[in-house]
Amino acid sequence: MLSRVADSIYWMARYMERAENLSRLLLSTQDLLLDAGEEAADESQFWGPILMTTGDEERYDKVHTTIEGELVALFLALRTDNPNSILNCVRAARENARTVRDQISDELWECINGLRLFLESPEAAALHQNQRAAFYEKVLVASYQFQGIAASTTPRDESWHFLRLGLCLERADKTTRLIDTCSAISLDMPPNPLARPLRWAALLRSSSAWHAFQAYSSNKLNPVDIVEYLLPNDTFPRSFAWCIEAMHTALIALCGNGRLEEMKVPVRLLGRLRADIAYITMDEVLKEGLHEFIDRLQSKLNDIGASILQTFVLYGDSAPVIGEASFLAYHPKVEANMQIQQ
Amino acid sequence: MSSLFNDYQPGSFFDEMFSAPDSARSHYAGITGSIGTLSPAEYAARQRTADTVFLRQGVTFTVYGDDQGTERIFPFDLMPRIIPHKEWERVESGLIQRITALNLFLNDVYHEQKIITDGIVPRELVESASHFRPEFKGVKVPHGIYIHICGTDLVRDGKGEYFVLEDNGRCPSGASYMLENRNAMKRTFPGLLQSLPVRPVDAYGSMLRETLAHLAPLSVIDPNIVVLTPGVFNSAYFEHCYLAKQMGVPIVEGRDLVLKNDRIFMRTAKGLQQVHVIYRRIDDDFLDPLVFRKDSLLGVPGLVKAYQSGHVALANSIGTGVADDKAVYALVPKMIKYYLDQDPILPNVTTYLGVDPKECEYILANLPNLVVKAVNESGGYGMLMGPHSTKEEQTEFAERIRANPRNYIAQPVLQLSRHPVFQGDHFEGRHIDLRPYVLYGDRIQVVPGGLTRVALKKGSLVVNSSQGGGSKDTWVLWDDE
Amino acid sequence: MNYRITHRTTYEYSSRVAVSHHAARLRPRDTETQRCQDFSLSFDPEPDLLTEHTDSFGNRVSCFSIQKLHAFFEVTSLSYVKLSPVLQPDPAQTPPWEQVAALFRDPVPFDLLDPCQFVFRSPLLVHEMPLREFALPSFKPGRAVLAATADLCARIHLEFVFDPKATTISTPLAEVLEKKRGVCQDFAHLAIASLRAMGLPARYVSGYLRTHPPAGKPRLVGVDASHAWAACFVPGFGWVDFDPTNDCFTSLDHITVAIGRDFSDVSPVRGIITGGGKHSVEVGVDVEPLGA
């Protein structure tokens, strides 16, 4: 498979997953506010952490002076000047799909293209204005469709593995960022006045894990249990450990296991992270500090993402990888190619 | 007997199907007997079936100037064009003769230039042709073949005589439509195709692959072949993908290829993989930004050097456009005589060269009766249709021709042959041409069939897809009845 | 006469470039009166790929690619060139221009095939213009070809104003002719196209020109620039270079780098990049005479 094709499939999956996560986050925050009662008087304490999760604080501050729900929701959903908005993520997914259209199924293409067409339509803006929940649900359903179609129409060759790598890496990253929004609040249970069960419930909802967690834990809404469920526990398909496991499967399929000296960099990096998360106890996590622990996971994830790009796409070029920059796939921030002549 | 063709009027043109009203030519007997018995509604239903096949398969071309990248289907007319065995034999041998001579010509002008020193072709025509590549003088190309894939445009005049209108020796397109048209016919009239001795065209993919593999460096047993496309925004992107799939080879863009040690590699997820043969669907000008003038990111920097050093083969070769120049076209019959000592089997359309002072005078004196074309333009640009032009247009063109005679040629207006085309509920005659595909590998093969293009607008002579043209399946028969 | 020539091309980009490819024609040619004794290229940053080849006009071409992110690129050539005096035929003694033009009509003798490629239209000089009319006053019937060319050269110098602001690389010749302004490249193109309009071969020469400081002033370093002129063909002698910008035949001051049909065949450094945003290019040339 061509590196460019691999890169585009990988980013197509990442951007679709990013759009889905963003929609769910906005939906659950909105729900959280409805339950928050008096606490909700200060909106910014709910919407601020969201901007932190998506890493868009700085960009938001450039266009708005105050953090208001309306503005944040629009900024993250439909603003074209926010490269990470749902709209721009779907556009990027679609552009990447377009360049490899002959390599993916027609159904998959139609699903992505259909979602893009909707998001660019006036109906989408109206729906977001009037029935925000329905808007987010529509994006969520399209993303589930994308995954279903991908699962049932993609041959289990390199295309599938790159698609899985992109999807799971994005999901693992977003799960850690979600948990991080709660890392500053107390891990205590009620009746301790510091306990914030609502916020923990929102975390579960943002991860689609509410029902699954209810069935899993008898200790309803124990923060430590929730973190355990979303981090080292590998049973739930949005937990960090589950994503790492799925990435591992895909990576081994792509480059084999082999002896340590011959092992490709992403396999080694991922293997270490996988062992780390499999054998860590919650006590150790809490001792290190939740935020610090998550920080460490995220930096490792970044290294893995960079090494994937280096190994499969940029190899041979000694170009260092900066952030998520790559010059093969389409990204919303990407600069137009230009030519010069003297 | 009542028939769909009862009211059909062949008119004063050469009609492919009817020699007179109600009198079908013998090689069409097989289908007048079956299709003719359908009711207009039944026929229309079949046409719709075929259209859906095209849509579903995504047989489309992109319309330029539309940022949505709208994809349209190339209108397909169900009624096949039929060519009997004997007629085809002549076309086939004529095409083989022509591609042989054109390749000898190219090899000659890029090496010894005997045809110029012997005074057959004026030096100016070659050296000033915009597609002539001085960089390629003296460069050996694999097997001395320059044009491996040729899509020659043929037309028939009022008497049914075949003429060569244009040799497309650069990047001829349309082969995918030829294949898909046949598929559509198989879906809509399966029985008919079975009952008639129609020669199959579906081997084109493997023939093309064979032709390309023949170009690989001799030491390579299982060469890596790729199709090089300008990318998804190109109007023929569908065809590039289609042909790559038919051959089972990767489709690549310039940025997927890199140069190392004068060799070309493609960047795969597993590492660099050497490429031996490139079926390029990018024009010369865009192929290598370091050699050719147009700066573009479509091509591969260094590709020309790799080609010159023999580590990678290109189909078609670079600089073949000099044989496509409309003024050079006029000399092809002389080339055939010069290189092969034969008379051309397929004649040229009479062509007057602006560069020849006598012929130039004739052109200027007869503008109202001629079609004047600029030698390096295509797709109907830079053209004067004498009989349909105004006095002002003629004066303007006369000035242009006087200022730059080298740039113009003129031809008499041809009455292209017509073919019945379904129009809602009945058949009407429309002008057509034929583009058969010739492949030159270890031997020369002509695909039995080709793309029959139709000018769908009544009276129009323009068959281009971008200007309201459509297409038909072309049936070459094993026999003459 | 010996020279030491440095030619520095510097690119700066507003954002980083991922890949860049360049082709450079910087190595002075060896001719009958010129010898390139040493030539080297230096780069910052070092290219990942560097190859050399000779193009169809005999110019040496260096191709280099940089495949790491960079926001700055500089290529510098350093050449040592030795020039010996150019032997010029007596213009009045050269054959009549009609006789020369006749030689280049079919069939062209074998030994004239090389100059013959410079008779025809070329990529930048294709447009039809009243160039014949412009040239005719110089080409009186029976006039010696070199005398006619010298006259054409003098007329361009006289009638046209040297004005670096009037034109750019892509200004068409018609506009130069109309405005009567331009730079050395335009004047060379004008002379070439005029000669060709008369059916005579003419080629484009790019190179350097030694500048002479005003009397008593020291030579300023780095103020020189690339220069361009033209050459016409005199049968029995060969190519004679002439400089319409300065109205002279070339001398010990003109250092030849590359020849071609027009500028497009010889552009000193051309390149293509991915990314980079806005860019700026700076060129510095220094022609240092080292004495005889």
Side-chain angles (χ1 to χ4, degrees):
Chain A
M1 167 174 282
L2 290 173
S3 296
R4 171 176 54 83
V5 173
D7 198 29
S8 291
I9 290 180
Y10 170 87
W11 282 106
M12 168 187 80
R14 274 198 83 157
Y15 279 118
M16 280 303 282
E17 180 68 19
R18 193 172 291 178
E20 179 195 318
N21 284 316
L22 203 46
S23 301
R24 192 179 302 103
L25 179 60
L26 287 167
L27 185 61
S28 64
T29 306
Q30 189 175 303
D31 289 348
L32 170 65
L33 275 163
L34 295 178
D35 293 334
E38 271 174 33
E39 251 186 274
D42 179 13
E43 269 189 1
S44 66
Q45 57 155 328
F46 291 90
W47 294 104
I50 290 192
L51 289 170
M52 200 187 78
T53 318
T54 60
D56 290 324
E57 287 159 299
E58 226 176 275
R59 204 172 280 109
Y60 179 89
D61 289 346
K62 271 187 198 156
V63 278
H64 299 298
T65 45
T66 55
I67 295 183
E68 289 169 41
E70 286 282 318
L71 296 178
V72 176
L74 192 65
F75 181 77
L76 293 177
L78 288 170
R79 286 286 292 238
T80 49
D81 53 359
N82 173 14
N84 291 325
S85 67
I86 295 176
L87 172 64
N88 275 332
C89 285
V90 172
R91 275 182 179 167
R94 188 256 183 193
E95 270 321 297
N96 283 301
R98 180 172 148 88
T99 58
V100 295
R101 209 184 143 175
D102 55 307
Q103 313 269 343
I104 58 175
S105 66
D106 288 348
E107 294 86 344
L108 199 60
W109 161 254
E110 277 162 26
C111 166
I112 300 176
N113 197 37
L115 179 59
R116 178 206 60 132
L117 286 173
F118 163 73
L119 288 175
E120 287 181 346
S121 69
E123 293 87 72
L127 194 66
H128 189 262
Q129 180 76 37
N130 306 324
Q131 281 179 274
R132 206 150 292 165
F135 174 91
Y136 298 135
E137 269 155 16
K138 193 150 173 146
V139 178
L140 289 175
V141 168
S143 175
Y144 298 148
Q145 258 170 10
F146 166 80
Q147 289 174 36
I149 294 169
S152 52
T153 63
T154 310
R156 274 7 181 211
D157 58 12
E158 286 167 303
S159 4
W160 174 249
H161 303 308
F162 280 111
L163 193 145
R164 294 291 289 172
L165 269 186
L167 187 141
C168 296
L169 195 128
E170 182 67 28
R171 190 180 283 179
D173 178 66
K174 284 296 169 311
T175 297
T176 55
R177 283 167 188 265
L178 276 176
I179 298 172
D180 204 20
T181 57
C182 294
S183 62
I185 52 180
S186 160
L187 290 164
D188 293 333
M189 294 270 285
N192 187 321
L194 289 175
R196 306 284 285 276
L198 265 182
R199 298 293 285 265
W200 292 106
L203 171 61
L204 282 174
R205 290 215 164 83
S206 303
S207 313
S208 270
W210 175 258
H211 291 292
F213 180 77
Q214 300 307 315
Y216 169 78
S217 169
S218 53
N219 203 352
K220 308 291 179 214
L221 288 184
N222 177 347
V224 178
D225 282 4
I226 293 174
V227 173
E228 190 271 340
Y229 192 63
L230 293 177
L231 275 181
N233 189 307
D234 65 1
T235 52
F236 184 67
R238 304 199 80 85
S239 83
F240 186 80
W242 187 92
C243 295
I244 295 300
E245 208 50 46
M247 284 172 70
H248 186 252
T249 311
L251 264 182
I252 296 298
L254 282 172
C255 39
N257 220 331
R259 292 184 308 147
L260 193 60
E261 308 86 80
E262 294 158 6
M263 212 178 263
K264 292 273 203 310
V265 182
V267 182
R268 273 194 286 122
L269 294 180
L270 191 76
R272 270 187 229 157
L273 179 58
R274 184 172 166 237
D276 197 4
I277 198 79
Y279 296 107
I280 201 153
T281 64
M282 280 311 288
D283 284 346
E284 285 170 305
V285 172
L286 298 179
K287 204 167 156 204
E288 184 177 346
L290 186 54
H291 175 71
E292 288 71 17
F293 179 71
I294 284 173
D295 239 17
R296 202 152 58 79
L297 294 185
Q298 279 181 346
S299 106
K300 284 182 180 172
L301 268 187
N302 285 343
D303 292 347
I304 292 167
S307 73
I308 287 174
L309 211 57
Q310 189 63 43
T311 304
F312 298 109
V313 182
L314 299 179
Y315 63 84
D317 307 335
S318 41
V321 178
I322 312 282
E324 292 177 342
S326 119
F327 51 86
L328 293 177
Y330 172 87
H331 300 285
K333 277 179 280 188
V334 90
E335 268 169 306
N337 290 333
M338 62 159 297
Q339 306 147 21
I340 56 165
Q341 181 177 24
Q342 188 203 323
Chain B
M1 190 184 88
S2 146
S3 157
L4 253 183
F5 300 105
N6 271 354
D7 300 323
Y8 180 73
Q9 291 304 323
S12 59
F13 303 91
F14 181 87
D15 194 279
E16 297 281 344
M17 187 166 171
F18 289 94
S19 51
D22 287 328
S23 166
R25 297 177 196 276
S26 61
H27 52 277
Y28 275 93
I31 67 165
T32 26
S34 51
I35 293 182
T37 58
L38 295 177
S39 74
E42 281 167 331
Y43 186 89
R46 303 265 180 130
Q47 177 72 52
R48 279 197 300 277
T49 311
D51 290 345
T52 349
V53 171
F54 278 94
L55 265 182
R56 214 179 46 220
Q57 310 255 327
V59 187
T60 55
F61 66 93
T62 311
V63 181
Y64 283 127
D66 179 346
D67 38 326
Q68 296 293 314
T70 311
E71 293 179 352
R72 294 195 191 150
I73 63 166
F74 188 20
F76 171 68
D77 184 78
L78 206 46
M79 189 69 197
R81 184 244 190 101
I82 302 180
I83 301 174
H85 179 65
K86 271 227 174 60
E87 206 172 292
W88 179 254
E89 266 191 327
R90 213 171 85 79
V91 168
E92 189 175 24
S93 52
L95 291 170
I96 292 176
Q97 182 192 51
R98 210 166 162 101
I99 197 175
T100 310
L102 285 173
N103 273 296
L104 288 169
F105 169 71
L106 286 164
N107 197 37
D108 191 15
V109 296
Y110 284 113
H111 292 88
E112 286 137 277
Q113 304 201 323
K114 279 196 205 138
I115 198 165
I116 299 175
T117 40
D118 285 344
I120 312 291
V121 173
R123 178 169 301 278
E124 183 184 1
L125 277 194
V126 173
E127 299 261 1
S128 68
S130 61
H131 297 292
F132 181 68
R133 303 288 174 200
E135 300 88 342
F136 271 79
K137 275 196 237 170
V139 173
K140 275 209 167 83
V141 303
H143 309 287
I145 309 172
Y146 287 77
I147 302 178
H148 312 89
I149 299 123
C150 194
T152 308
D153 287 342
L154 302 176
V155 293
R156 301 179 79 178
D157 68 357
K159 296 192 192 87
E161 179 76 40
Y162 281 91
F163 286 89
V164 176
L165 188 65
E166 221 169 90
D167 303 286
N168 296 297
R170 281 178 278 164
C171 296
S173 61
S176 59
Y177 299 115
M178 165 181 79
L179 300 172
E180 273 305 307
N181 285 357
R182 180 60 56 86
N183 275 343
M185 289 308 288
K186 282 181 185 163
R187 303 275 156 77
T188 32
F189 289 111
L192 193 55
L193 262 164
Q194 218 163 38
S195 66
L196 292 173
V198 178
R199 295 179 65 177
V201 292
D202 47 14
Y204 184 75
S206 52
M207 282 161 72
L208 183 58
R209 193 188 168 128
E210 214 177 279
T211 304
L212 295 172
H214 179 65
L215 299 178
L218 286 174
S219 55
V220 184
I221 296 161
D222 188 13
N224 288 321
I225 302 169
V226 298
V227 175
L228 176 61
T229 173
V232 285
F233 298 102
N234 187 269
S235 67
Y237 185 70
F238 160 77
E239 168 153 312
H240 307 158
C241 286
Y242 185 91
L243 293 177
K245 273 186 185 165
Q246 290 285 317
M247 290 191 282
V249 304
I251 178 157
V252 303
E253 295 176 22
R255 54 191 173 146
D256 297 324
L257 300 180
V258 287
L259 176 85
K260 269 199 162 80
N261 303 327
D262 288 349
R263 286 161 178 82
I264 295 290
F265 294 85
M266 62 179 163
R267 307 161 50 100
T268 77
K270 287 201 167 71
L272 294 180
Q273 191 175 13
Q274 195 179 346
V275 171
H276 304 104
V277 184
I278 300 176
Y279 177 30
R280 48 94 168 213
R281 296 296 298 261
I282 296 183
D283 280 340
D284 282 3
D285 279 340
F286 300 97
L287 212 46
D288 184 341
L290 293 185
V291 176
F292 299 125
R293 255 142 233 108
K294 300 218 171 113
D295 278 346
S296 113
L297 288 168
L298 299 178
V300 187
L303 177 57
V304 166
K305 204 157 166 261
Y307 182 49
Q308 285 173 337
S309 61
H311 294 304
V312 69
L314 291 176
N316 289 339
S317 182
I318 293 170
T320 58
V322 63
D324 255 9
D325 186 286
K326 291 192 175 73
V328 174
Y329 151 88
L331 300 171
V332 176
K334 285 185 183 170
M335 286 176 205
I336 293 173
K337 190 80 193 154
Y338 180 79
Y339 293 114
L340 307 173
D341 196 21
Q342 294 171 0
D343 291 320
I345 300 168
L346 294 171
N348 263 14
V349 177
T350 315
T351 303
Y352 304 99
L353 296 183
V355 71
D356 181 309
K358 268 190 213 140
E359 294 183 5
C360 188
E361 255 172 61
Y362 178 87
I363 298 174
L364 292 170
N366 292 282
L367 279 180
N369 308 316
L370 295 170
V371 183
V372 183
K373 296 174 179 172
V375 293
N376 291 317
E377 306 272 6
S378 59
Y381 296 101
M383 221 166 96
L384 176 82
M385 283 294 269
H388 303 293
S389 62
T390 63
K391 266 269 167 295
E392 290 74 45
E393 284 169 330
Q394 290 170 20
T395 321
E396 190 208 323
F397 250 78
E399 261 168 45
R400 283 206 235 166
I401 295 167
R402 275 195 206 97
N404 190 2
R406 162 67 178 93
N407 205 34
Y408 293 92
I409 58 133
Q411 294 169 338
V413 182
L414 275 190
Q415 288 304 343
L416 300 191
S417 65
R418 295 207 314 184
H419 197 288
V421 168
F422 196 64
Q423 294 289 321
D425 56 356
H426 64 289
F427 281 94
E428 283 178 24
R430 290 288 184 272
H431 295 293
I432 59 168
D433 78 349
L434 173 64
R435 178 179 286 185
Y437 294 90
V438 191
L439 297 175
Y440 194 162
D442 60 335
R443 65 208 150 102
I444 301 174
Q445 292 169 284
V446 185
V447 188
L451 184 67
T452 291
R453 295 187 298 176
V454 188
L456 289 175
K457 240 166 68 193
K458 194 168 195 162
S460 166
L461 291 167
V462 186
V463 295
N464 296 54
S465 57
S466 50
Q467 305 196 25
S471 76
K472 286 175 166 295
D473 192 15
T474 311
W475 291 4
V476 172
L477 302 184
W478 281 114
D479 58 25
D480 288 319
E481 291 302 311
Chain C
M1 191 69 206
N2 289 294
Y3 288 102
R4 189 176 106 132
I5 303 145
T6 19
H7 184 154
R8 176 174 291 121
T9 309
T10 312
Y11 294 96
E12 276 186 64
Y13 310 105
S14 64
S15 65
R16 283 188 287 186
V17 171
V19 187
S20 72
H21 302 278
H22 291 90
R25 286 171 174 80
L26 292 168
R27 186 197 191 95
R29 286 175 72 107
D30 284 335
T31 69
E32 275 181 26
T33 58
Q34 175 178 309
R35 189 94 9 232
C36 176
Q37 292 171 314
D38 192 38
F39 174 77
S40 60
L41 284 174
S42 55
F43 305 92
D44 179 19
E46 283 298 319
D48 299 86
L49 227 100
L50 174 64
T51 60
E52 267 206 27
H53 67 274
T54 307
D55 71 12
S56 64
F57 303 101
N59 307 309
R60 292 295 290 169
V61 189
S62 312
C63 295
F64 32 91
S65 314
I66 303 164
Q67 304 179 351
K68 44 187 165 286
L69 291 171
H70 58 288
F72 169 89
F73 177 58
E74 188 169 83
V75 52
T76 310
S77 70
L78 177 65
S79 323
Y80 287 89
V81 179
K82 186 182 182 65
L83 257 63
S84 41
V86 179
L87 204 69
Q88 217 80 264
D90 176 0
Q93 298 303 311
T94 55
W97 67 268
E98 296 97 329
Q99 205 177 313
V100 181
L103 284 175
F104 292 97
R105 274 183 226 131
D106 282 324
V108 179
F110 186 74
D111 57 331
L112 292 183
L113 283 186
D114 182 64
C116 186
Q117 61 179 323
F118 299 100
V119 177
F120 309 113
R121 308 188 297 183
S122 58
L124 291 179
L125 304 176
V126 287
H127 300 287
E128 298 301 320
M129 276 164 301
L131 276 178
R132 218 182 139 82
E133 281 141 59
F134 173 74
L136 262 178
S138 300
F139 288 81
K140 302 243 160 57
R143 196 169 195 184
V145 66
L146 202 51
T149 305
D151 186 64
L152 176 77
C153 179
R155 282 178 47 224
I156 294 176
H157 181 70
L158 195 72
E159 295 174 23
F160 287 71
V161 181
F162 184 86
D163 179 356
K165 292 199 184 80
T167 57
T168 67
I169 286 172
S170 51
T171 304
L173 206 45
E175 202 180 314
V176 176
L177 201 59
E178 189 198 326
K179 286 187 179 165
K180 303 247 173 213
R181 280 168 185 274
V183 294
C184 57
Q185 181 192 316
D186 303 312
F187 301 154
H189 276 159
L190 181 61
I192 292 166
S194 304
L195 284 167
R196 289 183 188 162
M198 303 310 294
L200 297 164
R203 67 186 194 186
Y204 186 95
V205 187
S206 78
Y208 306 111
L209 179 68
R210 173 190 180 178
T211 47
H212 294 272
K217 295 273 169 63
R219 198 182 69 85
L220 295 172
V221 175
V223 296
D224 306 304
S226 306
H227 191 47
W229 56 94
C232 73
F233 187 78
V234 178
F237 181 83
W239 291 98
V240 177
D241 288 21
F242 62 98
D243 180 351
T245 312
N246 297 297
D247 185 21
C248 63
F249 289 107
T250 63
S251 64
L252 288 172
D253 291 342
H254 289 75
I255 300 121
T256 303
V257 175
I259 57 171
R261 292 166 298 174
D262 57 39
F263 174 75
S264 69
D265 285 333
V266 301
S267 48
V269 184
R270 52 199 226 109
I272 184 156
I273 59 172
T274 309
K278 290 197 188 98
H279 76 280
S280 63
V281 192
E282 233 174 89
V283 181
V285 173
D286 187 46
V287 181
E288 183 185 348
L290 299 175

